[in-house]
Amino acid sequence: MNDARERNGSRILRGIGASPGVAFGRAHLVGLDKVKVLRKRISESELSAEIERFRKAVFQAEDEINRLLAEIPEELREHSGILQSHLLMLKDKMVYDRAQEFITGRGVNSEWALSMVLEHVRGLFEQIKEQYIRERIKDVEYVICRVLRILAGESGEGLFDLKEPVILVAHELSPADTIQLSPDKVLAFVTDVGSRTSHTAILARSLGIPAVVGLEDITSTVLSGENLIVDGIAGEVIINPDAEYQESYREKQDGYLKYRLEVIHNSHLPAETRDGFRVKIKANMELLEEIPTVISNGADGVGLLRTEYLYLAHRELPSEEVLYNAYREVVERIRPYPVTIRTLDIGGDKFISSVSLNEEINPALGLRAIRLSLREPGLFCAQLRAIIRASAHGNVRVLFPLISGKREILQVKEYMNKVFSELQAEGIPFDRDIKVGIMMEVPTAIMVADILAQEVDFFSLGTNDLIQYSLAIDRVNEFVAHLYEPLDPGVLRMIKRTVDAAHDAGINAALCGEMAGEPMYVPILLGMGIDELSMNALDIPRVKRTVRMVRYEDCVRLTNRVMEASTSAEAREALVSYLRSAFPREFDSAMGGHSDMAGMEVSRSIS
Ligand code: PEP
Ligand code: MG
């Protein structure tokens, strides 16, 4: 990405709009991964001073973390586990004692000693079988980088430690970094790497923080304190905007806010086309704090509860009780609507952090999601018990990620039956008819959708991964992000095939990838007969509005035309000509950049 333009000292950088909204503010560079470590010899006589220097830096780091902990707003308190674990790690023997041993034993400076510690700990973690524990190396890296920055004499300001609201500029923010961002202090964020369907981008949308990712080198272009405008709708960042830019982006910001108010106004009306076709519009949820947003945006329930973040927020594996209480809270607050709880989907991009160095594994094809759960029955059964117990308190559906074929479903069912018998024997209430679904996101699963449909109660299409795996494009890699193409004829056929197989077997087909939240794709999905769309709660109003504006009959005609396309360009052409006639007003404003109705994809596709 990143084609830059200049005018009167203002520069525009183009990246990928990852979370909509327009923000104005000062840049704040976070460079956790940019600490340079030099080796210095420390003579015998300097050793005690060096040890003192090291200890002081650790104390300062402790102080910083304690301050951050004290400042975490009440609503985010349950996520403070990450920081608490950092405090413990600072004084862990493996870090604290070892670093001092290296300083004295090898006569090296604190920085070098810490980097040796990091190498050593990395080696130990790599041998750990359980991926979840192995991935905690990211926390060790994070903590060591904090001390390194203090030693390097930087301010030590962290992601939380912001004096005033700023725009964060980072090489990369991991999902773990992102859950620490408070929308009060972070006006927007922009990163060198990333794509729209990465989990970091998904979280930004959940938190309502505008974001532009995939800017390639914004961290070396922008200086802390420079004025920025972030346009998360068009994916642009303006550095040192002149008066003219400021004025036009203020207008765009106003237009966007007005547009949102207008669409939210009708968001509690049912999602029904003008000729009576109904579709369920549900919310994807990551954090408990999102429940009020889910309700206020008019969701017909939670179509995807991603459960990874509870694991990220705790230092140790969360107990069955902790999980049960969290799920129960969601279920009770969303009742009478259903909640689809997906079992753990870690691996992939979930643990990539800003300090990740030289990782040579291929996590997207690794021990991710259901594969990890099936290899760690203790972890899996604790979560299954928590989900199934929560079913006693409302309408719960359980969803399994990354299923590639029938064998995995049979294995999963065995575990479910085991949990059913245990709970029954223990006299713990649960819903024996809990509905079971699978994510349809691996191409082989799509090819055998007819077989899988006999085994489960519903399908949920995970187009983020389906597109990643079928078009072979890493969903977190900005260099191939432009190849992400929901309108690829192969992708469209896979979606259609899944919906048809579900209906032939008498079960429902949902779609919960980011594609569901893009209004421009909604008419095609309706035309395929999709039963449910699940998306970021903030996308619900505009998607519902789109559904209410179209005719199912027209959508079917459009879908038939689009399905005949032999290239994505042809499919897009058919879609654009339909959108232009069905939504003249939105189409014009999307072209003027004031609306996210069709998003920049429409404007790009015809400009
Ligand atoms: C998907 O893959 O489309 C999906 C909804 O799941 P996730 O983004 O969590 O992988
Ligand atoms: Mg997925």
Side-chain angles (χ1 to χ4, degrees), residues 430-492:
F430 63 94
D431 173 9
R432 186 68 182 77
D433 283 330
I434 185 170
K435 298 284 176 266
V436 177
I438 53 171
M439 293 289 293
M440 295 296 275
E441 53 187 353
V442 177
T444 47
I446 312 286
M447 295 310 290
V448 293
D450 53 330
I451 299 172
L452 306 189
Q454 303 301 323
E455 302 295 330
V456 295
D457 300 306
F458 66 97
F459 284 160
S460 193
L461 276 150
T463 43
N464 305 337
D465 279 314
L466 183 59
I467 294 173
Q468 155 166 268
Y469 295 126
S470 54
L471 285 175
I473 42 167
D474 182 350
R475 66 191 269 191
V476 295
N477 182 340
E478 70 277 19
F479 298 108
V480 289
H482 63 285
L483 300 174
Y484 168 86
E485 179 53 277
L487 295 180
D488 181 275
V491 171
L492 289 172

Side-chain angles (χ1 to χ4, degrees), residues 306-321:
R306 288 187 172 95
T307 56
E308 295 72 64
Y309 299 97
L310 263 184
Y311 290 79
L312 272 174
H314 287 81
R315 188 167 60 87
E316 287 169 347
L317 279 181
S319 65
E320 176 188 324
E321 220 45 39

Side-chain angles (χ1 to χ4, degrees), residues 379-435:
L379 178 141
F380 188 40
C381 286
Q383 186 180 30
L384 272 184
R385 280 179 62 101
I387 296 172
I388 295 171
R389 284 173 62 193
S391 70
H393 305 282
N395 186 348
V396 173
R397 312 187 325 154
V398 60
L399 178 62
F400 296 98
L402 214 74
I403 294 290
S404 60
K406 179 170 164 178
R407 191 179 57 90
E408 281 160 344
I409 301 180
L410 297 181
Q411 282 176 287
V412 158
K413 281 190 175 168
E414 253 176 57
Y415 283 111
M416 283 196 71
N417 286 332
K418 177 172 166 284
V419 169
F420 287 153
S421 325
E422 278 172 15
L423 293 177
Q424 195 149 12
E426 292 165 36
I428 297 176
F430 63 94
D431 173 9
R432 186 68 182 77
D433 283 330
I434 185 170
K435 298 284 176 266

Side-chain angles (χ1 to χ4, degrees), residues 63-80:
D63 254 17
E64 279 179 19
I65 299 176
N66 276 320
R67 211 155 14 95
L68 300 179
L69 272 168
E71 285 168 11
I72 294 187
E74 199 52 44
E75 321 82 83
L76 293 178
R77 237 168 233 288
E78 68 179 279
H79 297 297
S80 61

Side-chain angles (χ1 to χ4, degrees), residues 273 277 279 281 515-530 533 535 539 542-548 550 555 558-559 575 578-579 583 597:
T273 62
F277 179 83
V279 59
I281 304 290
M515 184 182 177
E518 306 267 4
M520 72 180 292
Y521 301 126
V522 167
I524 299 178
L525 298 172
L526 291 179
M528 288 185 186
I530 199 89
L533 296 171
M535 63 206 70
D539 290 331
R542 56 191 195 139
V543 167
K544 265 200 178 175
R545 195 169 90 125
T546 309
V547 174
R548 292 178 59 80
V550 300
C555 294
L558 163 70
T559 303
L575 174 60
Y578 164 79
L579 289 174
F583 300 94
M597 144 63 206

